[in-house]
Amino acid sequence: DAGVIQSPRHEVTEMGQEVTLRCKPISGHDYLFWYRQTMMRGLELLIYFNNNVPIDDSGMPEDRFSAKMPNASFSTLKIQPSEPRDSAVYFCASSSHDAEKLFFGSGTQLSVL
Amino acid sequence: RKEVEQDPGPFNVPEGATVAFNCTYSNSASQSFFWYRQDCRKEPKLLMSVYSSGNEDGRFTAQLNRASQYISLLIRDSKLSDSATYLCVPGALGGYQKVTFGTGTKLQVIP
Protein backbone atom coordinates (compact mmCIF):
# COMPACT_ATOMS: atom_id res chain seq x y z
CA ASP A 1 0.00 0.00 0.00
CA ALA A 2 1.47 3.34 -1.05
CA GLY A 3 -0.04 5.27 1.84
CA VAL A 4 -1.24 8.84 1.65
CA ILE A 5 0.71 10.79 -0.92
CA GLN A 6 1.16 14.54 -0.75
CA SER A 7 2.84 16.91 -3.13
CA PRO A 8 4.89 18.96 -3.19
CA ARG A 9 7.05 18.13 -0.15
CA HIS A 10 8.30 21.70 0.02
CA GLU A 11 6.87 24.89 -1.41
CA VAL A 12 8.46 28.29 -1.22
CA THR A 13 6.49 31.16 -2.66
CA GLU A 14 6.12 34.87 -2.42
CA MET A 15 3.31 36.67 -0.69
CA GLY A 16 0.32 37.12 -2.94
CA GLN A 17 0.95 34.04 -5.03
CA GLU A 18 -1.48 31.15 -5.35
CA VAL A 19 -0.47 27.89 -3.71
CA THR A 20 -1.99 24.50 -4.44
CA LEU A 21 -1.30 21.49 -2.26
CA ARG A 22 -2.24 18.03 -3.44
CA CYS A 23 -3.21 14.81 -1.74
CA LYS A 24 -3.93 11.26 -2.82
CA PRO A 25 -5.60 9.28 -0.03
CA ILE A 26 -5.27 5.57 0.59
CA SER A 27 -7.45 3.67 -1.83
CA GLY A 28 -10.76 2.69 -0.29
CA HIS A 29 -10.69 5.26 2.48
CA ASP A 30 -13.90 7.26 2.84
CA TYR A 31 -12.58 10.19 4.86
CA LEU A 32 -9.99 12.79 3.99
CA PHE A 33 -8.70 15.42 6.38
CA TRP A 34 -6.55 18.51 5.85
CA TYR A 35 -4.52 19.70 8.85
CA ARG A 36 -2.13 22.57 9.38
CA GLN A 37 0.66 22.38 11.96
CA THR A 38 2.64 25.21 13.48
CA MET A 39 4.71 25.47 16.64
CA MET A 40 2.30 27.95 18.17
CA ARG A 41 -1.03 26.31 17.34
CA GLY A 42 -0.17 22.64 17.00
CA LEU A 43 -2.14 20.42 14.64
CA GLU A 44 -5.29 22.21 13.48
CA LEU A 45 -8.04 20.57 11.49
CA LEU A 46 -8.91 22.74 8.49
CA ILE A 47 -11.54 20.68 6.69
CA TYR A 48 -12.63 17.10 6.22
CA PHE A 49 -14.46 15.22 3.50
CA ASN A 50 -16.61 12.11 3.56
CA ASN A 51 -17.10 10.34 0.24
CA ASN A 52 -15.73 13.40 -1.55
CA VAL A 53 -18.22 15.76 0.11
CA PRO A 54 -16.94 18.53 2.41
CA ILE A 55 -18.50 17.95 5.82
CA ASP A 56 -16.93 20.49 8.13
CA ASP A 57 -14.83 23.42 6.95
CA SER A 58 -15.11 25.45 10.14
CA GLY A 59 -11.36 25.24 10.60
CA MET A 60 -10.56 26.96 7.33
CA PRO A 61 -9.04 30.24 8.50
CA GLU A 62 -10.25 32.59 5.80
CA ASP A 63 -11.83 32.82 2.40
CA ARG A 64 -8.35 32.70 0.98
CA PHE A 65 -8.38 28.99 1.71
CA SER A 66 -10.38 26.52 -0.33
CA ALA A 67 -10.37 22.75 -0.65
CA LYS A 68 -11.81 20.39 -3.20
CA MET A 69 -12.14 16.68 -3.65
CA PRO A 70 -13.23 16.03 -7.24
CA ASN A 71 -12.96 12.26 -6.85
CA ALA A 72 -12.12 9.58 -4.31
CA SER A 73 -8.43 9.59 -5.14
CA PHE A 74 -7.54 13.27 -5.20
CA SER A 75 -7.92 16.41 -3.13
CA THR A 76 -6.46 19.89 -3.29
CA LEU A 77 -6.01 22.67 -0.77
CA LYS A 78 -5.59 26.09 -2.35
CA ILE A 79 -4.47 29.35 -0.81
CA GLN A 80 -5.05 32.47 -2.86
CA PRO A 81 -3.49 34.90 -2.18
CA SER A 82 -0.91 33.46 0.16
CA GLU A 83 0.46 35.40 3.13
CA PRO A 84 3.55 34.87 5.33
CA ARG A 85 1.36 33.77 8.24
CA ASP A 86 0.23 30.80 6.14
CA SER A 87 3.71 29.32 6.50
CA ALA A 88 3.29 25.93 8.16
CA VAL A 89 3.33 22.21 7.49
CA TYR A 90 0.13 21.04 5.85
CA PHE A 91 -0.84 17.42 6.36
CA CYS A 92 -3.41 15.37 4.57
CA ALA A 93 -4.79 12.27 6.27
CA SER A 94 -7.26 9.61 5.26
CA SER A 95 -9.30 7.11 7.17
CA SER A 96 -11.62 4.24 6.52
CA HIS A 97 -15.38 4.40 7.03
CA ASP A 98 -15.29 4.84 10.79
CA ALA A 99 -12.74 7.70 10.74
CA GLU A 100 -11.21 6.17 13.85
CA LYS A 101 -7.61 5.74 12.76
CA LEU A 102 -5.96 8.34 10.60
CA PHE A 103 -3.12 7.74 8.20
CA PHE A 104 -1.10 10.83 7.40
CA GLY A 105 0.87 11.85 4.38
CA SER A 106 4.39 13.18 4.74
CA GLY A 107 3.16 16.76 4.67
CA THR A 108 3.94 19.85 2.64
CA GLN A 109 6.28 22.40 4.21
CA LEU A 110 4.99 25.77 2.98
CA SER A 111 7.05 28.92 3.29
CA VAL A 112 5.51 32.19 2.16
CA LEU A 113 8.08 34.96 1.93
CA ARG B 1 -12.48 24.40 27.55
CA LYS B 2 -10.41 22.82 24.80
CA GLU B 3 -11.53 19.46 23.45
CA VAL B 4 -8.20 17.92 24.32
CA GLU B 5 -5.47 19.21 26.62
CA GLN B 6 -1.95 17.94 27.07
CA ASP B 7 1.10 19.09 28.99
CA PRO B 8 3.49 20.20 26.23
CA GLY B 9 6.54 19.17 28.25
CA PRO B 10 9.27 18.55 27.45
CA PHE B 11 9.65 15.50 29.61
CA ASN B 12 13.36 14.76 29.86
CA VAL B 13 13.99 11.26 31.17
CA PRO B 14 17.05 9.00 31.31
CA GLU B 15 17.24 5.82 29.31
CA GLY B 16 15.54 2.96 31.11
CA ALA B 17 13.20 5.16 33.08
CA THR B 18 9.44 4.88 33.19
CA VAL B 19 7.50 7.93 32.10
CA ALA B 20 3.81 8.72 31.97
CA PHE B 21 1.80 11.58 30.63
CA ASN B 22 -1.87 12.39 30.59
CA CYS B 23 -4.35 13.81 28.19
CA THR B 24 -7.66 15.29 29.35
CA TYR B 25 -10.72 15.47 27.15
CA SER B 26 -13.88 17.50 27.45
CA ASN B 27 -16.52 15.40 25.69
CA SER B 28 -17.73 12.75 28.10
CA ALA B 29 -19.46 10.93 25.24
CA SER B 30 -16.16 9.98 23.59
CA GLN B 31 -15.89 6.20 23.33
CA SER B 32 -12.48 5.66 21.85
CA PHE B 33 -9.11 7.32 22.10
CA PHE B 34 -5.85 7.19 20.24
CA TRP B 35 -2.24 8.00 20.88
CA TYR B 36 -0.13 9.11 17.93
CA ARG B 37 3.60 9.52 17.84
CA GLN B 38 5.21 12.29 15.83
CA ASP B 39 8.94 12.43 15.20
CA CYS B 40 10.58 15.75 14.44
CA ARG B 41 9.63 16.98 10.96
CA LYS B 42 7.61 13.85 10.28
CA GLU B 43 3.94 13.01 10.09
CA PRO B 44 1.98 11.65 13.09
CA LYS B 45 1.67 7.89 13.18
CA LEU B 46 -0.80 5.84 15.15
CA LEU B 47 0.74 4.31 18.24
CA MET B 48 -2.11 2.85 20.29
CA SER B 49 -5.86 2.67 20.49
CA VAL B 50 -7.90 2.69 23.70
CA TYR B 51 -11.49 1.51 23.59
CA SER B 52 -12.23 0.52 27.15
CA SER B 53 -10.23 0.69 30.32
CA GLY B 54 -6.83 0.27 28.74
CA ASN B 55 -4.48 -1.31 26.27
CA GLU B 56 -0.95 -2.68 26.52
CA ASP B 57 1.57 -3.20 23.75
CA GLY B 58 5.03 -4.19 24.85
CA ARG B 59 6.57 -1.32 26.81
CA PHE B 60 3.58 0.91 26.17
CA THR B 61 0.40 1.02 28.23
CA ALA B 62 -2.54 3.32 27.58
CA GLN B 63 -5.23 3.70 30.20
CA LEU B 64 -8.57 5.42 30.24
CA ASN B 65 -10.15 7.07 33.26
CA ARG B 66 -13.70 7.97 32.30
CA ALA B 67 -14.62 9.39 35.69
CA SER B 68 -11.89 12.00 35.46
CA GLN B 69 -11.96 12.20 31.67
CA TYR B 70 -8.35 11.55 30.92
CA ILE B 71 -6.21 9.00 29.15
CA SER B 72 -2.65 8.24 30.04
CA LEU B 73 0.31 6.80 28.22
CA LEU B 74 2.94 4.91 30.18
CA ILE B 75 6.29 4.02 28.65
CA ARG B 76 8.48 1.57 30.51
CA ASP B 77 12.21 1.07 30.00
CA SER B 78 12.50 4.18 27.84
CA LYS B 79 14.70 3.99 24.77
CA LEU B 80 16.45 6.81 22.97
CA SER B 81 14.23 6.01 20.00
CA ASP B 82 11.14 6.86 22.08
CA SER B 83 12.06 10.54 21.84
CA ALA B 84 9.17 12.14 20.00
CA THR B 85 6.00 14.12 20.51
CA TYR B 86 2.99 12.13 21.63
CA LEU B 87 -0.42 13.34 20.54
CA CYS B 88 -3.72 12.16 21.91
CA VAL B 89 -7.06 12.38 20.19
CA PRO B 90 -10.58 11.21 21.01
CA GLY B 91 -12.06 9.06 18.30
CA ALA B 92 -14.87 10.20 16.09
CA LEU B 93 -18.32 9.96 17.57
CA GLY B 94 -21.00 8.34 15.48
CA GLY B 95 -22.01 10.74 12.75
CA TYR B 96 -19.52 13.38 13.80
CA GLN B 97 -16.07 12.72 12.52
CA LYS B 98 -14.23 15.93 13.35
CA VAL B 99 -10.97 14.58 14.72
CA THR B 100 -9.24 17.13 16.93
CA PHE B 101 -5.74 16.52 18.25
CA GLY B 102 -4.16 17.72 21.42
CA THR B 103 -1.06 19.89 21.15
CA GLY B 104 1.14 16.96 22.08
CA THR B 105 3.64 16.14 24.80
CA LYS B 106 7.29 16.18 23.90
CA LEU B 107 9.44 13.39 25.29
CA GLN B 108 13.22 13.47 25.23
CA VAL B 109 15.04 10.34 26.40
CA ILE B 110 18.56 11.14 27.48
CA PRO B 111 21.52 8.70 27.33
Side-chain angles (χ1 to χ4, degrees), chain A residues 35 37 48 58 100 102 105, chain B residues 32 34 36 38 43 98-99:
Chain A
Y35 287 88
Q37 188 172 39
Y48 79 90
S58 59
E100 290 272 272
L102 272 60
Chain B
S32 58
F34 302 88
Y36 286 75
Q38 185 174 24
E43 72 274 21
K98 187 172 182 178
V99 184

Side-chain angles (χ1 to χ4, degrees), chain B residues 20 101 105:
Chain B
F101 284 79
T105 297

Side-chain angles (χ1 to χ4, degrees), chain B residues 72-90:
Chain B
S72 62
L73 181 67
L74 178 79
I75 306 174
R76 290 179 295 277
D77 188 22
S78 300
K79 311 291 185 189
L80 295 176
S81 57
D82 294 333
S83 297
T85 296
Y86 292 84
L87 302 156
C88 75
V89 56

Side-chain angles (χ1 to χ4, degrees), chain A residues 67-80:
Chain A
K68 295 182 179 179
M69 192 166 186
N71 56 61
S73 60
F74 184 65
S75 177
T76 60
L77 178 67
K78 186 175 293 186
I79 309 172
Q80 168 63 23

Side-chain angles (χ1 to χ4, degrees), chain B residues 31-109:
Chain B
Q31 296 296 311
S32 58
F33 302 86
F34 302 88
W35 282 102
Y36 286 75
R37 171 198 169 120
Q38 185 174 24
D39 293 296
C40 187
R41 301 185 183 279
K42 298 284 189 180
E43 72 274 21
K45 292 183 179 179
L46 182 64
L47 177 67
M48 295 187 73
S49 308
V50 186
Y51 291 99
S52 55
S53 60
N55 187 16
E56 185 172 327
D57 183 4
R59 298 182 295 108
F60 297 81
T61 300
Q63 292 196 314
L64 169 62
N65 185 316
R66 289 194 184 276
S68 300
Q69 292 187 207
Y70 73 86
I71 58 173
S72 62
L73 181 67
L74 178 79
I75 306 174
R76 290 179 295 277
D77 188 22
S78 300
K79 311 291 185 189
L80 295 176
S81 57
D82 294 333
S83 297
T85 296
Y86 292 84
L87 302 156
C88 75
V89 56
L93 296 176
Y96 185 62
Q97 315 296 348
K98 187 172 182 178
V99 184
T100 303
F101 284 79
T103 53
T105 297
K106 186 173 183 179
L107 172 66
Q108 185 70 47
V109 181

Side-chain angles (χ1 to χ4, degrees), chain A residues 4 25-31 51 69 72 94-97 101 103:
Chain A
V4 177
I26 292 173
S27 177
H29 278 188
D30 297 336
Y31 289 89
N51 292 325
M69 192 166 186
S94 71
S95 178
S96 60
H97 64 278
K101 300 173 184 177
F103 295 84

